[in-house]
Amino acid sequence: MRPYRRLTPLLALLLIALGAVPAAHAAPDTGTGQGSVTAAYIRGATPGAGVELLDANERIVGRGSVDRLGSFLVRDLRPGDGYRFRVEGVRGNSFRVLDGTAPPQSQYDEQRLQPGMNYVRMRDGITLAAFVRLPFGKTLADGPFPTVVEYSGYQTAAPNPLVLGAATGLLKARDPLAPANGLVLGAELAPDIGFASVSVQMRGSGCSGGAYDLFDYPTVYDGYDIVETVAAQPWVAGHKVGLVGISYSGISQIAVAGTEPPSLAAIAPMSLTEDLHSTGFPGGIFNTGFADTWLTERQADATPGPDGGQPYVRQLIQRGDQECAANQSLRLQTPSLRQLVADNPERNPEVFDHRSPSTWAPKVRVPVLLTGALQDEQVGPQWTRIIDRFDANPDVWVRMINGAHFDSLGPQILSQWWEFLNIFVAERVPPPSPALEALSTVMYAAITRSPAVRVDSTRLAGSPSVSAAKAAFANSPRVEVFYDNGAGAAGAGGLAAPWSLGLDGWPSSRIVPTTWHLGAGGALSTEPGAVESISFRPDPAARPAGTLDVVGPSDIPWQPIPPYNWTPLPGDAGIGFTSPVLDHDVVTAGPASLDLQLSSTAPVTDLQATVTEVRPDGRETYVASGYLRSSYRAVDANATELQPIRSYRNPADLSPGFNGARISIDPMAHAFRAGSRIRVTLTAPGGDRTSWRFDTPATNGLVVDTIQLGAGGSALVLPVISGAVAGAPLPACDGLRGQPCRAYAPAFNGG
């Protein structure tokens, strides 16, 4: 008799329970795969399952495990068809990895945005949160409106009024549903002065979908899609939009404009960096202050809500916003941002090039109003290196000012911002704006606690036509430098510069590189002295790490006279060199270089050069600093007298004897007055900046650095404007914005 080949259901269950028959595993959920720009992601897969990404040739190009939210993401892929995910051996749907080619216009035309919160679909299926604000007191029936977009990863698309959030913030109980203060241009000023504004949350942050990627290609091309979707709205005047914003939303504008969205009218970036590496690794030294803090905060913002992420995300999910909740599904695929940056001190171009505004700037074809501060405590003053990257674009205007990060939004610049947006975005003669003049005064008081001169919105109001207004604006200098901000009519430390100079470009043809030789006794001379050397012991612990107890975003550096603790050089931890009393004004504008002949008892030494003005009253004003890890001392073929450009790709220890080592000093715009002296100091990094800190190894005073002086030795090269004189008397030492003041104390070597 043949045995039974089939078990009864009851017997089968019994044998399974006893372990005699293996239980069948449920087939894994393969989820849905989707291609992004140079990336691919899967959502809805079985958590914990093994997953592989196959290309069209069945090669495995990514593998890992599905996260607890059912997602997995692979970056840095070659665009093309035929990709698919395989989950526990089960193949999923086929899809295409995208390149920068624009999707059909229907992608944009079919989406309709309304006042309030919207979710805008990107080309890869991800939706971004975008909050639409119409001009104050208007409805859609009153349109169309000139429109601007602010695109950022801060708390951008939060729905409540920013002004309310700022007011409650002063009471230490900031409204969790208000945008961040850094969004003041788009979330507050623009709608109050007659523009519709769309505040767009970058992918991987806030209520937007996707994984945060630190300016990677998906985020860049999201910007293109946002511009085109907003411009397609029936309530947008001329179906053209502008980009506005300061800091984060200033940086993002360059790459978005570089993708050349056809509906972009103009951009107005403020307080940006030209390269993430220059902020993250000044002189090749990791910035453990603002840069590291900023990365840490972005990582926290990218954690999934409602348990993590930004405050408004938690609030909206708890109130039932299902799309915001669903958009958290890829958050666990955010890479370690700090590791991404910190692991690349040698500026790996595959990591930094496409993430840096300077790469995209030559592709920008629309009008640009670029503004920034020259003692920027957050992104740094080196942003000016991007200016000549716009040389092929005739419609670029640059406004720079001494001061802190916020000062690019000062009243003398904001008045030109108003003109620029009206001419190039609204395409109208800039009308007088009492609202702008009144609101900006309140804004300056609330955010900086500083007095300010009134914004002038009337300068071009009498132009007979838009073309006449445009011609008047275009005839202004390509580069305008505002000097002595803090010493103007607003009062000590107020937002006002008493004078400015116009330049034809950056670098300007008016700039004459002027050499000052480092000499014996701490002398700084236009003629070299006798050949000799001086040694010192660079010690990062010899002074406080910074001039303020601030490393992250803070409004303390924006106060009229911040509580600086700017200490002098102690003992033999630094050396100084001071010029004779000047018999004429020395007006500077541009980067500088400290060219050293250097030897050290260590194979690698970290150095900081700081330029100051020693005044006739015996006090000293900070001007600019520069940094160098000696292993990155090699410069490339693009280096100039004033700009020791380096690639960071071939680090090398110091050789025995003296080595050439040029420290790039941050761009400056400062007038050294007749009767003052020019000073340069050389120390370990630290002690002269408010928010930057440096990953400099402790030396305990045991490292000895030596520089050669005199003919063939070390020299400071300054960017002097030929024939220029200061446009105002020597200001008070206290109150120059971004420029601490202290009593002058000579270094141990006399300078």
Side-chain angles (χ1 to χ4, degrees):
M1 192 173 185
R2 296 175 62 186
Y4 288 113
R5 294 183 178 272
R6 184 174 300 172
L7 299 174
T8 66
L10 183 60
L11 181 58
L13 288 173
L14 179 60
L15 292 175
I16 289 172
L18 295 173
V21 177
H25 290 287
D29 194 332
T30 59
T32 302
Q34 178 71 50
S36 188
V37 180
T38 71
Y41 65 87
I42 188 172
R43 292 184 292 187
T46 300
V51 59
E52 298 167 328
L53 177 63
L54 308 178
D55 67 9
N57 296 315
E58 298 291 307
R59 293 175 300 200
I60 299 173
V61 293
R63 57 158 47 99
S65 297
V66 178
D67 65 34
R68 62 177 172 83
L69 299 179
S71 299
F72 184 69
L73 186 148
V74 181
R75 297 175 173 82
D76 302 323
L77 297 172
R78 185 186 300 275
D81 292 314
Y83 285 87
R84 66 177 73 239
F85 285 101
R86 186 166 62 194
V87 181
E88 295 290 358
V90 180
R91 294 154 60 88
N93 62 292
S94 177
F95 56 85
R96 176 178 178 79
V97 169
L98 307 178
D99 57 15
T101 303
Q105 184 63 31
S106 59
Q107 157 87 22
Y108 312 120
D109 291 342
E110 66 189 18
Q111 300 192 66
R112 283 290 170 260
L113 309 186
Q114 300 296 322
M117 181 68 88
N118 299 263
Y119 288 95
V120 186
R121 190 179 70 258
M122 302 293 99
R123 66 186 68 187
D124 64 352
I126 295 296
T127 62
L128 302 190
F131 199 88
V132 174
R133 294 175 174 86
L134 300 184
F136 181 73
K138 303 294 184 181
T139 68
L140 288 177
D142 298 312
F145 311 105
T147 302
V148 294
V149 171
E150 192 163 29
Y151 181 45
S152 166
Y154 290 144
Q155 178 143 313
T156 308
N160 281 6
L162 183 147
V163 67
L164 177 61
T168 57
L170 295 177
L171 301 175
K172 309 300 183 185
R174 183 176 175 81
D175 178 10
L177 288 172
N181 280 351
L183 284 305
V184 65
L185 291 171
E188 190 64 44
L189 274 186
D192 285 341
I193 60 177
F195 285 78
S197 174
V198 185
S199 300
V200 182
Q201 190 80 52
M202 281 182 177
R203 70 169 51 212
S205 66
C207 279
S208 290
Y212 187 80
D213 59 23
L214 194 65
F215 301 110
D216 206 354
Y217 286 114
T219 289
V220 169
Y221 284 94
D222 284 350
Y224 181 108
D225 291 348
I226 281 292
V227 166
E228 293 306 306
T229 302
V230 173
Q233 304 308 305
W235 45 265
V236 173
H239 296 294
K240 291 280 190 177
V241 302
L243 294 176
V244 298
I246 183 171
S247 193
Y248 203 160
S249 49
I251 296 170
S252 67
Q253 293 179 49
I254 307 298
V256 173
T259 67
E260 300 186 64
S263 302
L264 182 62
I267 64 174
M270 295 175 165
S271 295
L272 76 168
T273 182
E274 95 294 0
D275 191 306
L276 298 186
H277 187 271
S278 69
T279 298
F281 287 93
I285 308 166
F286 186 51
N287 181 349
T288 58
F290 178 80
D292 195 19
T293 301
W294 190 85
L295 291 171
T296 301
E297 290 179 351
R298 303 291 73 72
Q299 196 84 49
D301 280 354
T303 56
D307 296 329
Q310 295 171 336
Y312 89 99
V313 174
R314 296 191 283 274
Q315 295 278 328
L316 293 189
I317 292 176
Q318 289 167 4
R319 295 182 183 189
D321 189 327
Q322 295 182 4
E323 185 143 13
C324 183
N327 276 347
Q328 309 301 304
S329 64
L330 278 162
R331 295 304 173 80
L332 298 178
Q333 297 300 310
T334 300
S336 171
L337 304 176
R338 188 182 191 278
Q339 184 175 354
L340 180 72
V341 173
D343 285 355
N344 287 280
E346 296 173 17
R347 201 193 177 283
N348 180 352
E350 293 181 0
V351 172
F352 285 102
D353 276 0
H354 67 282
R355 288 182 164 91
S356 293
S358 58
T359 299
W360 294 94
K363 303 174 185 178
V364 176
R365 303 284 181 261
V366 297
V368 179
L369 178 63
L370 172 65
T371 66
L374 290 168
Q375 285 81 27
D376 191 311
E377 80 285 357
Q378 295 190 13
V379 295
Q382 72 287 344
W383 63 270
T384 60
R385 297 174 193 165
I386 201 175
I387 296 173
D388 63 0
R389 303 286 288 165
F390 291 108
D391 278 354
N393 186 343
D395 295 325
V396 175
W397 295 274
V398 181
R399 303 295 178 255
M400 63 183 69
I401 192 166
N402 69 284
H405 186 67
F406 183 85
D407 288 30
S408 62
L409 191 50
Q412 290 155 300
I413 293 175
L414 194 63
S415 62
Q416 298 190 43
W417 178 83
W418 166 250
E419 295 166 355
F420 179 82
L421 292 183
N422 276 281
I423 293 168
F424 293 103
V425 178
E427 295 188 343
R428 65 190 180 195
V429 173
S433 177
L436 175 67
E437 296 181 10
L439 284 168
S440 60
T441 301
V442 174
M443 173 186 70
Y444 295 136
I447 295 178
T448 74
R449 299 175 176 81
S450 300
V453 295
R454 195 172 182 87
V455 170
D456 181 7
S457 65
T458 65
R459 188 176 71 98
L460 299 180
S463 300
S465 64
V466 176
S467 59
K470 184 179 294 186
F473 190 92
N475 285 334
S476 63
R478 186 170 177 94
V479 177
E480 184 175 12
V481 183
F482 291 92
Y483 287 83
D484 297 339
N485 180 32
L495 287 155
W499 60 291
S500 68
L501 284 176
L503 302 174
D504 54 354
W506 191 274
S508 169
S509 61
R510 295 179 61 188
I511 299 299
V512 178
T514 304
T515 300
W516 296 77
H517 299 272
L518 278 57
L524 188 65
S525 313
T526 54
E527 297 294 331
V531 176
E532 57 179 272
S533 63
I534 181 71
S535 297
F536 66 106
R537 297 177 180 271
D539 184 356
R543 290 193 294 163
T547 57
L548 291 173
D549 187 19
V550 170
V551 292
S554 170
D555 61 5
I556 293 175
W558 308 344
Q559 295 176 6
I561 304 178
Y564 293 120
N565 179 27
W566 187 33
T567 60
L569 280 60
D572 62 356
I575 49 178
F577 299 87
T578 306
S579 75
V581 173
L582 300 173
D583 60 7
H584 63 281
D585 293 347
V586 176
V587 182
T588 62
S593 179
L594 183 62
D595 302 343
L596 301 177
Q597 288 296 317
L598 169 71
S599 69
S600 179
T601 58
V604 176
T605 186
D606 288 356
L607 293 172
Q608 171 179 285
T610 295
V611 175
T612 61
E613 178 180 11
V614 180
R615 300 157 46 91
D617 59 8
R619 307 194 76 200
E620 183 178 17
T621 300
Y622 174 84
V623 177
S625 296
Y627 317 92
L628 178 66
R629 175 159 287 169
S630 64
S631 51
Y632 298 113
R633 64 192 178 279
V635 299
D636 66 24
N638 296 314
T640 67
E641 282 187 85
L642 290 168
Q643 187 79 73
I645 300 170
R646 45 184 52 92
S647 69
Y648 296 96
R649 299 298 293 157
N650 298 298
D653 289 352
L654 291 166
S655 302
F658 287 104
N659 301 255
R662 301 181 61 193
I663 301 178
S664 178
I665 298 175
D666 287 334
M668 63 181 71
H670 186 81
F672 299 87
R673 267 45 174 222
S676 290
R677 293 182 288 163
I678 300 170
R679 188 191 196 200
V680 63
T681 58
L682 191 62
T683 64
D688 292 346
R689 294 288 297 274
T690 57
S691 304
W692 282 18
R693 304 292 186 268
F694 302 90
D695 187 23
T696 293
T699 66
N700 300 311
L702 300 178
V703 171
V704 178
D705 287 351
T706 302
I707 64 169
Q708 186 172 314
L709 309 175
S714 304
L716 172 68
V717 187
L718 292 178
V720 178
I721 304 178
S722 179
V725 296
L730 178 71
C733 193
D734 291 309
L736 283 183
R737 294 186 63 83
Q739 298 184 250
C741 177
R742 67 185 177 192
Y744 167 62
F748 82 93
N749 67 315

